[in-house]
Amino acid sequence: MTAERTATIARGAAMAAERAATIAGGAAVIAGRAATTAERAAMTAERAAMTAERAATVAGGAAITAERAAIIAGGAAMTAERTATIAGGAAITADKRLRATPRAGTSSPESIKLGVRP
């Protein structure tokens, strides 16, 4: 009887150890799944950060392009202003020459200044 009891107790202990191992294995599986979930969350956050960085890069490129367009437009405006200034100067010169033209043989003070003689 004692040997039988000892065997029964040993079997119970073995079953308890097996149950403990099963529980430990289940806990390890759960911990592994939690680690996988955390890793996936970290990867998702990293992807979101990369997307935001790309969007910022695109926005920066668009800002640079807009700045270049503004510089080109400013250059065109300056060119137009210079052309208008030159045209205005030419108009003033033409007006002075027309005024300096002697009329009916008379010499005006302006024509004398410009060296135009009748």
Side-chain angles (χ1 to χ4, degrees), residues 17-33:
E18 186 182 356
R19 284 183 187 157
T22 303
I23 291 170
V29 169
I30 291 169
R33 287 180 183 163

Side-chain angles (χ1 to χ4, degrees), residues 4-5 15 17 20 27 33 52 54-56 66 88 94 96 98 102 109 111 114 118:
E4 190 179 335
R5 279 189 183 167
M15 288 173 62
R33 287 180 183 163
R54 285 182 189 147
K96 283 183 178 177
L98 285 175
S111 63
L114 293 173

Side-chain angles (χ1 to χ4, degrees), residues 67-78:
E67 183 183 7
R68 287 181 182 158
I71 290 169
I72 290 168
M78 287 171 62

Side-chain angles (χ1 to χ4, degrees), residues 6-87:
T6 303
T8 304
I9 291 169
R11 249 183 303 174
M15 288 173 62
E18 186 182 356
R19 284 183 187 157
T22 303
I23 291 170
V29 169
I30 291 169
R33 287 180 183 163
T36 302
T37 303
E39 186 181 4
R40 286 182 183 156
M43 288 171 61
T44 302
E46 185 180 4
R47 285 185 191 139
M50 288 172 63
T51 302
E53 184 182 1
R54 285 182 189 147
T57 302
V58 170
I64 290 170
T65 302
E67 183 183 7
R68 287 181 182 158
I71 290 169
I72 290 168
M78 287 171 62
T79 302
E81 183 184 3
R82 287 179 185 155
T83 303
T85 302
I86 292 168

